[in-house]
């Protein structure tokens, strides 16, 4: 039984919550941890605490939803007509419902973790699967227990696939909820030093992410980065014999032979278990192409070959602030292209960005590079290694933002600011007509303020542009000048 009434929820959770009996047979349409898009017969888990959070309860009720809360003020609420359900622990009832839904669901559950690419792979995979089936997936970047359990609660009779982005930001943050997920397919991407500071050792970080392997159901499938697989081998990690392992990387089961960033479509040549295939996506960067390989590896288990993949992937659109491309008419006679890749940042994602930008042919490239957060004790050393990357030579100006980069040695082309607000005040000194401006940083550095500044101050903003249009205009201008 996957479609639940409130009485079902009462029995499954073994709770003693009180509710007006006239609502017992109301079937819950949607479970949510947010008040946005709620409607009648939805169930809102009020997980926030504090006086201000009570406003969310009022909003949910006005939309006709039921509310489960642990706020003491609702402990003795009158039953007559009330849609507020008091429970001692919202987390416990959410956990019990998630466990129940997973126990009775016999479809495919895909769990994705790693340091780079989780959200993008989840987004592409769920989008393609949703074209022909009902898919439940984690919303936005909700990859901790709260978002994972809520997604599982939303499994219903129509659901065929569940796609979950699962994050790890400390001991137990993945290894605990992944046991409830019990995936049929686990995707383990490259592991780098993100969130290193939240673990006693690097080994603890690796093993936490590897908990996605041990949680696999019997005869489950593991799609894993070859680099990560070798890390685990070096640490003597043993993968169960019943698990079917598919590795991706140089010399692996699936090898990436060549990336081709084209004017309308980007392609990647792949050796897929010895067979040469070409995967295609709309314009993207190198990271998008690598993500597409992982997505195809999953879809192949569901009978989707590379021909079907190429047809379906043509509808793919990346998540916001993942290599967003805009043309900004900032002032009269000052127009430039903006690439916003500042949702998150790590050594691996910066390398991918620099390689993707290298092929661009524009008159000037400018990089705004913010700190990479949560890298642990070696953070300054890792930031310094980024500044010594030869691919930075393609930029005429490099603006560094954050306290960590301020501690590093810099070249003459680099200017440092402690925060984005300090930089915005002098931005006019750094941009020029026809330039390519690239943003990259961890989300906590707040480079979104810079994007918001342009959206507010610009004469015109054209979003989702073809990223080679500026190159063609520049090359045409260069040829005319030569003639």
């Amino acid at each position: 039984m996957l479609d639940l009434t409130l009485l079902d929820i009462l029995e499954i959770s073994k709770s003693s919550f009180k509710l007006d009996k006239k609502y017992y047979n109301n079937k819950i349409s949607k479970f949510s941890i947010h008040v946005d898009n709620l409607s009648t017969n939805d169930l809102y888990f009020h997980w926030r605490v504090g006086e201000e959070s009570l406003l969310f309860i009022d909003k949910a009720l006005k939309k006709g939803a039921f509310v489960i809360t642990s706020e003491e003020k609702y402990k003795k609420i009158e039953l007559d007509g009330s849609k507020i359900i008091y429970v001692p622990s919202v987390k416990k009832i959410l956990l019990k419902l998630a466990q129940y839904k997973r126990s009775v669901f016999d479809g495919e559950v895909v769990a994705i973790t790693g340091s780079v690419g989780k959200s993008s792979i989840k987004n592409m995979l769920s989008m393609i699967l949703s074209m022909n089936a009902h898919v439940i997936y984690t919303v936005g970047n909700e990859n901790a227990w709260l978002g994972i359990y809520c997604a599982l609660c939303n499994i219903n009779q129509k659901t065929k696939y569940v796609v979950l982005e699962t994050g790890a930001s400390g001991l137990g943050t993945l290894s605990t909820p992944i046991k409830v997920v019990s995936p049929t397919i686990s995707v383990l991407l490259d592991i780098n030093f993100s969130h290193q500071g939240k673990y006693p050792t690097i080994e603890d970080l690796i093993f936490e992410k590897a908990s996605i392997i041990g949680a696999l159901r019997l005869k489950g499938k593991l799609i894993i980065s070859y680099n990560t697989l070798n890390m685990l081998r070096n640490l003597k990690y043993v993968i169960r014999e019943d698990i079917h392992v598919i590795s991706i990387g140089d010399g692996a089961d699936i090898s990436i032979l060549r990336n081709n960033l084209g004017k309308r479509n980007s392609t990647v040549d792949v050796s897929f278990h010895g067979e040469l295939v070409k995967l295609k996506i709309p314009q993207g960067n190198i990271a998008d192409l690598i993500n597409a390989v992982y997505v195809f590896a999953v879809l192949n288990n569901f009978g989707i070959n590379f021909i079907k993949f190429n047809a379906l992937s043509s509808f793919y659109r990346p998540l916001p602030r993942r290599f967003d491309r805009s043309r900004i008419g900032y002032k009269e006679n000052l127009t430039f292209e903006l690439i916003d890749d500042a949702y998150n940042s790590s050594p691996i994602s910066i390398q991918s960005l620099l390689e993707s930008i290298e092929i661009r042919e524009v008159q000037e490239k400018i990089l705004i590079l913010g700190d990479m957060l949560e890298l642990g004790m070696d953070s300054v050393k890792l930031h310094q290694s980024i500044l010594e990357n030869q691919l930075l030579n393609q930029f005429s100006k490099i603006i560094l933002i954050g306290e960590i980069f301020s501690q590093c040695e810099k070249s003459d082309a680099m200017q440092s600011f402690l925060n984005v607000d300090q930089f915005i005040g002098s931005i006019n000194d750094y941009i020029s007509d026809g330039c390519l401006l690239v943003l990259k940083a961890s989300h906590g550095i707040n480079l979104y303020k810079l994007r918001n500044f342009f959206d507010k101050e610009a004469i015109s903003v054209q979003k989702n542009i073809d990223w080679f249009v500026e190159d063609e205009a520049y090359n045409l201008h260069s040829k005319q000048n030569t003639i």
Side-chain angles (χ1 to χ4, degrees), residues 2 56 111 129 151 305 320 326 373 410 466:
L2 289 168
F56 293 103
L129 289 173
N305 60 22
S326 303
L373 301 180
K410 307 167 189 66
D466 290 343

Side-chain angles (χ1 to χ4, degrees), residues 23 40 61 71 77 89 144 176 213 220 224 296 331 341 362-363 449 456 461 465:
Y23 294 132
T40 303
L61 293 173
E71 285 290 338
I77 196 166
S89 171
T176 299
I213 302 175
I224 183 170
F296 175 63
K331 295 181 178 180
D341 197 34
V362 292
Q363 61 191 31
K449 291 183 177 181
K456 180 181 178 181
V461 177
I465 65 169

Side-chain angles (χ1 to χ4, degrees), residues 398-465:
I398 300 171
I399 296 94
L400 305 173
I401 296 180
E403 295 182 1
I404 305 174
F405 272 129
S406 70
Q407 302 173 48
C408 299
E409 295 183 13
K410 307 167 189 66
S411 71
D412 294 338
M414 300 174 184
Q415 297 291 321
S416 185
F417 296 84
L418 287 178
N419 56 62
V420 68
D421 295 316
Q422 187 183 75
F423 169 66
I424 286 176
S426 57
I427 191 169
N428 291 339
D429 299 332
Y430 293 93
I431 55 178
S432 62
D433 185 51
C435 74
L436 170 61
L437 184 64
V438 182
L439 311 183
K440 184 66 176 176
S442 287
H443 183 68
I445 301 303
N446 300 328
L447 283 194
Y448 69 87
K449 291 183 177 181
L450 188 56
R451 179 61 183 263
N452 291 347
F453 172 81
F454 287 131
D455 287 343
K456 180 181 178 181
E457 299 294 328
I459 298 172
S460 64
V461 177
Q462 183 182 353
K463 298 185 177 181
N464 302 317
I465 65 169

